[in-house]
């Protein structure tokens, strides 16, 4: 079974902040970073990008890097402009109360468990 942002939300108890068709996109790995220039050049396509950056620039970078979704960790909020851009571009954005590392580790463990 493929892992999608919708599956991540259901299995890991994440909130869905935006996304429609993008909620069914396959997630292949987790990626953590808060430096947008690094994400643009280093995030692998189809990743679940775990960050605390909930602004419009993060949504733009997720599109440029071809991320499957953004997961806002540590209770970070998606600001109004970012929510509007995510909805307009159908970018899946999920939210977690857990720290970045724990969130990414949960994604990784779910991906590994489903691969077995």
């Amino acid at each position: 079974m493929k892992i999608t942002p919708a599956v991540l939300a259901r299995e890991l108890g994440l909130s869905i902040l935006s996304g429609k068709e993008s909620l069914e996109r396959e997630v292949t790995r987790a990626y953590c970073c808060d430096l947008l220039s690094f994400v643009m050049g280093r995030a692998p396509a189809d990743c679940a990008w775990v960050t605390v950056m909930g602004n419009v620039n993060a949504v733009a970078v997720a599109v440029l890097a071809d991320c499957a979704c953004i997961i806002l960790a540590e209770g970070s909020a998606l600001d109004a402009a970012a929510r509007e851009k995510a909805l307009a571009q159908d970018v899946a954005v999920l939210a977690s109360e857990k720290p970045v590392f724990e969130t990414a580790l949960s994604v990784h463990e779910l991906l590994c468990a489903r691969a077995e």
Side-chain angles (χ1 to χ4, degrees), residues 24-64:
E24 297 308 317
R25 181 171 174 184
E26 186 169 13
V27 174
T28 59
R29 60 180 19 168
Y31 180 79
C32 304
C33 190
D34 290 325
L35 188 57
L36 298 179
S37 60
F38 270 50
V39 178
M40 283 190 291
R42 298 177 186 193
D46 303 319
C47 70
W49 172 27
V50 185
T51 183
V52 296
M53 304 289 291
N55 60 40
V56 70
N57 292 331
V59 175
V61 167
V63 171
L64 285 171

Side-chain angles (χ1 to χ4, degrees), residues 72-93:
L72 295 176
E74 305 198 30
S76 296
L78 185 64
D79 69 36
R83 181 180 308 275
E84 186 176 313
K85 186 168 186 80
L87 290 170
Q89 296 193 325
D90 192 25
V91 175
V93 181

